[in-house]
Amino acid sequence: MQTTYTFDAFEDNLKHTEIERLTKNVDIHSKTITDIFLNHGLIHSNKVLDVGCGTGAMLNLFADMLPQVEFIGIDSSKDILTNLECKQQNNVTVLQAEATALPFEDNTFDFVYTRLVLMHNQQPENIIQEMRRVCKPNGTIICVDVDDETMIFYPFAHEFSELIRANVQYSKMNGTDRLIGRKLFSLFKSVGIDAVKVITDTSDFTGFYDEIPFPLRLAMGREQARHLVQEQLITEAQRMDLVQKVETFCQDANRFYSGSFFYCIGTK
């Protein structure tokens, strides 16, 4: 499977930080995730599949809540599976497998979901097709992903929007689609999923804190956006200006940013 995100590629000293980031992302959005999933069939399911389970934060969230349900998680990364939070859960099984070749028979699961996986894969429709294949008739399929161009910033709305746009282009050049959220409905329809709908959840963050918001940190990268200059997506003058503005933004007590998650939901 062609993917642009590989946990195993992280240096050993950075893997723990990445695990913390992934787990925190689920924790922050746990109420919305829980409400949407429970209201769309999870509570009535007997067997559930998490495609790209990562740290197991989603499995952990649901396995505690629904101990009578059998949960199975798959991930292509052997390293991340050794760090699962939910390894001790009696109702959870995890396997190393590819999302484009799920090792299950047709019509196996009542509920199949993936979160923040499709953007990193160059053929997301193949993953969704596999999810549909292993889902039982009338079962639920949910894909959750982002669309970076829905982000709002204050201050420096224009400058940061240009930065995000440049990073979207850079990501596209490297095989990641950070606008995948707006495409989920069409992808579901293209593989024959029924009763498709999209729920958009917007999260707002306000006030002062030192940590750079993840969307800006991702766009700036490890080298303060020099990669964007090298690809001629921004100028060196823009880069230097952005470095200063990101620092100022983080220190601003009145700062604000928001971003949206897209929950695409359908049935087989």
Side-chain angles (χ1 to χ4, degrees), residues 44-214:
H44 302 298
S45 299
N46 294 313
K47 195 168 186 178
V48 175
L49 176 65
D50 182 334
V51 178
C53 62
T55 64
M58 294 275 284
L59 291 170
N60 197 48
L61 175 68
F62 295 136
D64 278 341
M65 190 182 308
L66 301 169
Q68 77 282 6
V69 178
E70 179 185 0
F71 290 91
I72 297 178
I74 69 101
D75 202 284
S76 61
S77 168
K78 181 179 179 180
D79 286 356
I80 205 166
L81 291 177
T82 64
N83 292 282
L84 283 177
E85 293 184 351
C86 53
K87 285 191 294 186
Q88 304 304 315
Q89 299 276 13
N90 293 329
N91 57 334
V92 175
T93 303
V94 295
L95 306 168
Q96 185 179 5
E98 296 290 347
T100 51
L102 297 172
F104 309 106
E105 295 183 0
D106 297 358
N107 308 320
T108 298
F109 298 93
D110 304 292
F111 194 103
V112 184
Y113 69 87
T114 190
R115 182 175 184 270
L116 304 183
V117 169
L118 297 180
M119 75 169 100
H120 299 296
N121 291 276
Q122 295 178 24
Q123 295 179 311
E125 64 274 11
N126 291 353
I127 296 175
I128 300 171
Q129 180 66 66
E130 273 293 273
M131 293 172 68
R132 181 186 182 280
R133 179 185 66 79
V134 301
C135 187
K136 293 178 181 178
N138 300 313
T140 300
I141 301 158
I142 298 183
C143 294
V144 187
D145 233 305
V146 299
D147 187 321
D148 282 0
E149 289 191 0
T150 65
M151 293 178 184
I152 300 170
F153 297 93
Y154 173 83
F156 312 125
H158 174 73
E159 295 90 337
F160 289 167
S161 292
E162 290 297 311
L163 172 62
I164 294 297
R165 227 173 262 121
N167 187 60
V168 166
Q169 286 298 112
Y170 179 82
S171 299
K172 184 178 180 180
M173 292 163 58
N174 290 276
T176 295
D177 186 355
R178 298 201 64 85
L179 304 179
I180 190 75
R182 67 183 66 180
K183 303 171 185 176
L184 292 176
F185 189 98
S186 295
L187 288 168
F188 269 44
K189 297 294 285 187
S190 72
V191 302
I193 295 175
D194 298 322
V196 182
K197 68 176 182 178
V198 174
I199 297 174
T200 304
D201 176 63
T202 300
S203 298
D204 298 338
F205 301 88
T206 60
F208 163 81
Y209 56 94
D210 286 328
E211 184 180 350
I212 298 174
F214 179 72

